[in-house]
Amino acid sequence: MSKLGVGIAQPYVRDAFVPPTAPPVLERGFLAWARKNLFSSISNTILTLVGIYLTYALVWPIIQFGIIDAVWSGTNADCRENGHGACWPMVQAKLGQYIYGRYPGDERWRVDIVFYSGLALLIPFLIPFVPFKRLNAILLLGVYPLVAFVLLTGGNLRIGGMFGDLMGLGGVMGFVGDWSIMIAVIAGLLLAFGRVAGLAMLVPTIVVAAILAIIGLAVVVAGIDFGLEQVETALWGGLLVTLVIAITGIVASLPLGILLALGRRSDMPIIKTFCVGFIEFWRGVPLITVLFMSSVMFPLFLPEGVTVNKLLRALVGVALFSSAYMAEVVRGGLQAIPKGQYEGAQAVGLSYWQMMGLIVLPQALKHVIPGIVNSFIALFKDTTLVLIIGLFDLLGIIQLSFTDASWASTVQSHTGYLFAAIIFWAFCFSMSQYSYYIERTLHTGHKR
């Protein structure tokens, strides 16, 4: 080594990694998150403290009433003696009434089959990666409603037909004759309309005729005697009625809303005028009025001796009312689609229905998922309004149970309403969370 190198410090080269050390406490974990989001400024700190106080003031009494001070087991005497906590033994004693209403006890297994089979079909249908979606959809939307109807009512409908009877066909054959004539008339009108308007209506006519034929077949199957006891809908109640009205309204309102939204944006004046009139009429009338009209006014216009089931009238009213709101939600999604999407679809030679089914509607519905689910949640909660026409849904049957003097106490009504709130919240929260899941799956927020 030369003398010039003496005294020069040798460079330090680390031959091992520095052991990792934990970051400062205030830069990670809950404390860092709270410092950044809850206490980042004076105003933010004040709002956080006010929010904590309001949450405590509102939620703590519910926790104290429903959990801490509640009576979890015992008899009505224990609830009366407690006097300041929820009486859950009452809910346990009335649970069957809350779920089935006045449905006969020996026949409640039919309702259980409807519930469990519905869940078995609905859960895989809602999970995107589960295979056999087409078969699942056919079973859920085509077969299940018919099976559920037969199980709940007992089937064996008395069906017949006026024109079929004139031709000497009675019972089922009479209905088949009438239904066939009606399908032929509707198909002829659609084809004639297409010829006048210059539209290709052959495929839509075949679709409509097929749907009507399936409905007719379902009615014929419902008229078969399966040996089940007939259960009038007046005996239905509780969660059963709530789910029947909500699911029927949800399933019917979405396709009707889509058709009404397409019709409102149609270039054909008759279709557009009809859809606009339908939507504005139903949106301008309160749901309570619709239910009153279906229950009180509608029977006045029927011929003498003709009656329509009260629950069926309510179902139709709720479905039509919800479809008007759904149409406006879908129309918002259609308006969000750029004009270039329409022009591109037309440029490659797609027909109107192909353009809507393959290009426009998938994008439009994706944009309005939050609005659609919001309408479903509102519909589910609006089912409580059927109480005013004498149908006892979950809330109605709970209120009816307050008349039971054997469970009379100062907390009877509070416990019942708390139980109803928990059930409704569970269903609505589930729908909301599934909506978020679908939005994340489809990347509707376009997050990077």
Side-chain angles (χ1 to χ4, degrees):
M1 180 178 295
S2 66
K3 293 182 179 179
L4 294 176
V6 176
I8 298 176
Q10 295 296 321
Y12 171 75
V13 178
R14 181 178 291 278
D15 56 359
F17 288 107
V18 176
T21 57
V25 176
L26 296 179
E27 297 298 328
R28 58 173 295 184
F30 175 76
L31 290 179
W33 178 87
R35 183 182 179 188
K36 179 181 179 182
N37 297 280
L38 302 179
F39 304 102
S40 58
S41 63
I42 295 177
S43 60
N44 202 357
T45 302
I46 294 174
L47 288 175
T48 299
L49 295 177
V50 171
I52 293 174
Y53 173 74
L54 290 177
T55 303
Y56 170 78
L58 295 174
V59 176
W60 178 250
I62 298 176
I63 295 176
Q64 191 170 17
F65 175 81
I67 299 177
I68 298 176
D69 295 337
V71 178
W72 292 93
S73 61
T75 62
N76 52 353
D78 297 322
C79 295
R80 292 196 189 97
E81 182 180 355
N82 180 284
H84 55 276
C87 180
W88 294 119
M90 181 196 73
V91 175
Q92 296 172 13
K94 300 286 184 183
L95 191 59
Q97 185 180 0
Y98 293 167
I99 295 176
Y100 307 101
R102 293 179 294 164
Y103 208 91
D106 296 338
E107 303 294 330
R108 289 180 178 177
W109 60 271
R110 289 153 53 177
V111 182
D112 293 335
I113 291 178
V114 172
F115 284 162
Y116 293 133
S117 59
L119 280 176
L121 292 173
L122 181 63
I123 291 175
F125 183 76
L126 296 179
I127 301 176
F129 56 82
V130 174
F132 307 110
K133 278 288 184 289
R134 183 170 300 177
L135 176 62
N136 196 343
I138 293 173
L139 292 176
L140 180 63
L141 302 176
V143 178
Y144 175 73
L146 177 60
V147 174
F149 177 81
V150 172
L151 283 173
L152 293 178
T153 63
N156 195 16
L157 297 180
R158 279 182 273 176
I159 56 179
M162 181 178 63
F163 293 104
D165 292 341
L166 292 177
M167 291 186 292
L169 304 174
V172 175
M173 294 306 298
F175 170 80
V176 172
D178 277 13
W179 201 257
S180 302
I181 293 173
M182 187 190 72
I183 293 176
V185 171
I186 292 177
L189 291 176
L190 288 175
L191 292 174
F193 173 78
R195 180 179 292 273
V196 173
L199 299 175
M201 294 294 291
L202 180 60
V203 174
T205 301
I206 294 175
V207 172
V208 171
I211 293 174
L212 291 175
I214 292 173
I215 294 174
L217 178 62
V219 174
V220 171
V221 173
I224 299 175
D225 184 8
F226 293 96
L228 298 174
E229 180 184 343
Q230 295 280 323
V231 180
E232 299 293 334
T233 57
L235 301 178
W236 299 11
L239 186 62
L240 171 62
V241 166
T242 297
L243 292 180
V244 167
I245 297 175
I247 293 175
T248 304
I250 289 172
V251 172
S253 65
L254 183 58
L256 286 177
I258 292 174
L259 292 176
L260 288 170
L262 294 176
R264 183 159 190 166
R265 290 171 55 85
S266 174
D267 295 330
M268 292 183 285
I270 296 177
I271 300 296
K272 183 173 184 177
T273 303
F274 171 79
C275 293
V276 170
F278 181 92
I279 293 171
E280 297 304 329
F281 171 77
W282 289 100
R283 285 206 306 166
V285 180
L287 180 56
I288 292 179
T289 306
V290 173
L291 294 174
F292 267 124
M293 291 179 66
S294 67
S295 177
V296 180
M297 298 296 294
F298 179 72
L300 300 178
F301 299 100
L302 294 177
E304 186 176 355
V306 177
T307 59
V308 179
N309 186 274
K310 180 189 290 187
L311 179 59
L312 178 60
R313 281 178 271 154
L315 290 177
V316 174
V318 169
L320 295 179
F321 181 86
S322 303
S323 65
Y325 283 87
M326 187 60 66
E328 289 302 281
V329 173
V330 176
R331 188 169 70 91
L334 292 174
Q335 290 181 338
I337 304 302
K339 189 178 180 180
Q341 296 290 316
Y342 294 87
E343 295 174 344
Q346 293 169 346
V348 298
L350 296 182
S351 66
Y352 174 80
W353 293 108
Q354 289 175 328
M355 176 178 66
M356 289 298 170
L358 300 175
I359 306 296
V360 177
L361 277 177
Q363 300 181 71
L365 295 178
K366 179 181 172 182
H367 285 309
V368 294
I369 288 176
I372 292 175
V373 177
N374 190 47
S375 298
F376 290 165
I377 292 175
L379 171 61
F380 186 81
K381 292 187 293 185
D382 284 344
T383 56
T384 57
L385 295 176
V386 299
L387 177 63
I388 63 173
I389 59 172
L391 296 176
F392 292 94
D393 71 315
L394 176 62
L395 183 61
I397 210 73
I398 288 176
Q399 290 179 323
L400 183 65
S401 69
F402 297 160
T403 59
D404 186 358
S406 62
W407 286 98
S409 68
T410 56
V411 296
Q412 184 185 30
S413 59
H414 300 72
T415 304
Y417 287 129
L418 178 60
F419 178 72
I422 292 173
I423 297 298
F424 274 96
W425 180 84
F427 277 96
C428 295
F429 183 72
S430 300
M431 285 190 279
S432 174
Q433 291 305 303
Y434 182 72
S435 169
Y436 294 145
Y437 168 71
I438 292 297
E439 290 178 37
R440 289 194 299 271
T441 304
L442 298 177
H443 303 290
T444 55
H446 302 288
K447 293 181 179 179
R448 295 180 183 274

